[in-house]
Every structure is written in structure tokens, then in C-alpha cells.
Amino acid sequence: MRVTDEEGFGCVWAAAGAQTHPSILVLTLAVVTAEFIVYAYISVVVGHNVGSASATIATALMIFGIGTTAGTLAGGFLVDRYGWRRMLRTSTFVIAVALLVIPFAHNAVFLFLRLVVWGLFGWTFTPTQMNRLLDTFPDNGAMLLTSNASAVQLGVAGGGLVGGAVLATLGAGALAFAGSAVVWLALLLSWRGTRATEPVPPQANR
């Protein structure tokens, strides 16, 4: 019997849980959107805070890149060591605080420290969500990872769009505030959603 794409997607959706799966993807979309509100215009943010000298911007980008690389490499290890629930809350909280502090960082060294902390924890978020999906929906994890990747790409595009609107209306100083506000909202969602997405153990036969 031939199964259509629509039927196949419906089976995966039902197996994953129609309430919990969207909440995970919304969290991914929210956090990535928030980060790219700032990241898409990071040179503007650095220029606004500590000056637009090319050497300063290049150094900021290099330091931020070191943080993101370390976060990507350490993400899987940290999830294995501390669990995705703790890492999810920690990463979103640190991202929110780091972005909130950036507008007040008018010293280059202080700004660079904020950027490396943001990069480190910001780039542990995606592997944490991937582990969350695989842990919560082990039978359909591979399919749902594709959906999560799509949410990441939408967040990249949406963050650039929202960041452009914020930059045009409120100026460069508001970019990190806007990103932080979205992450704080995502953090509230994660606190509510982690309990809902815990795997339900099979009931023993009576």
C-alpha cells in the first residue's frame, strides 16, 4: 500500500505529539531569531558601542567566532555531562543576560568578554535542542531534527528581518535589547515546556 507524503507526515506528527513537538520548534525559532537580530548587524553594534575602526570590528568578530566554535564543540559534551534540561535553561539564561548587557558595554574589553560568553552559550543551544528531540522522541528523532533545522533557518532569516526593522526605527542601541527580550520570552517557554516534553514511560501490563 502506498503512503502519501501527507499521510507520512501525519503519522510522524501524531507519534511525536501534536502539543510538545511544536513547542520545541517555537523555542528554537525564538532563540535563533533573537540571536540573529544582533548577529546579523554585529558590526553595527560594535561600531555603536566602541567605535567603527576596522581593527576593532575585526577583533570583535574573531573573539565572537572563538566563542561560537567553542560552544559548538562543547555543546554535545556539556549535554552528556549535565543533561539537556539544565543546559537548555542555562544557555537561554546566559544568552538573555549577555545580550541585555551588551548595550552598556562601551569598553572594548568588556564588550569582547560579553561577545565570547554569548558565542559560547549561544552556540550550545542548538546541540542541546537536538539532544532534547532525540531524548523526547527517540523513534522519530531523525525526522524531527530536520524540522528543527528548518526552524533554525527561519530564525536566521527572521532575525535579520526583525533586526533591520529595529535598526531602522529605534537605532543600533536597541538591537541587543530587542534580542534579549525575545530570549527572555523563550526562557519562559523553556521552563514551561521541559516538563511537558519529558518522555512518558510505558505502563506495565496488568
Side-chain angles (χ1 to χ4, degrees), residues 165-181:
V166 171
L167 182 62
T169 56
L170 301 175
L175 286 168
F177 284 128
S180 180

Side-chain angles (χ1 to χ4, degrees), residues 125-136:
F125 174 80
T126 298
T128 299
Q129 283 288 77
M130 292 168 65
N131 277 270
R132 180 185 184 185
L133 284 167
L134 292 173
D135 181 53
T136 308

Side-chain angles (χ1 to χ4, degrees), residues 16-75:
Q19 294 182 345
T20 54
H21 177 216
S23 70
I24 297 177
L25 298 186
V26 168
L27 180 61
T28 296
L29 177 62
V31 171
V32 176
T33 296
E35 293 197 282
F36 274 81
I37 288 174
V38 184
Y39 180 65
Y41 302 95
I42 190 169
S43 61
V44 177
V45 172
V46 173
H48 177 267
N49 280 29
V50 296
S52 56
S54 58
T56 302
I57 294 175
T59 302
L61 292 173
M62 181 188 68
I63 290 174
F64 184 70
I66 292 172
T68 60
T69 302
T72 302
L73 294 175

Side-chain angles (χ1 to χ4, degrees), residues 51-96:
S52 56
S54 58
T56 302
I57 294 175
T59 302
L61 292 173
M62 181 188 68
I63 290 174
F64 184 70
I66 292 172
T68 60
T69 302
T72 302
L73 294 175
F77 168 78
L78 292 173
V79 171
D80 290 339
R81 178 69 175 81
Y82 298 105
W84 66 259
R85 291 172 184 82
R86 181 180 295 181
M87 283 306 303
L88 182 65
R89 293 169 182 173
T90 300
S91 62
T92 50
F93 178 77
V94 174
I95 294 166

Side-chain angles (χ1 to χ4, degrees), residues 178-198:
S180 180
V182 176
V183 181
W184 282 113
L185 177 60
L187 183 61
L188 293 176
L189 290 175
S190 75
W191 278 343
R192 296 183 59 183
T194 48
R195 288 182 177 271
T197 56
E198 292 182 1

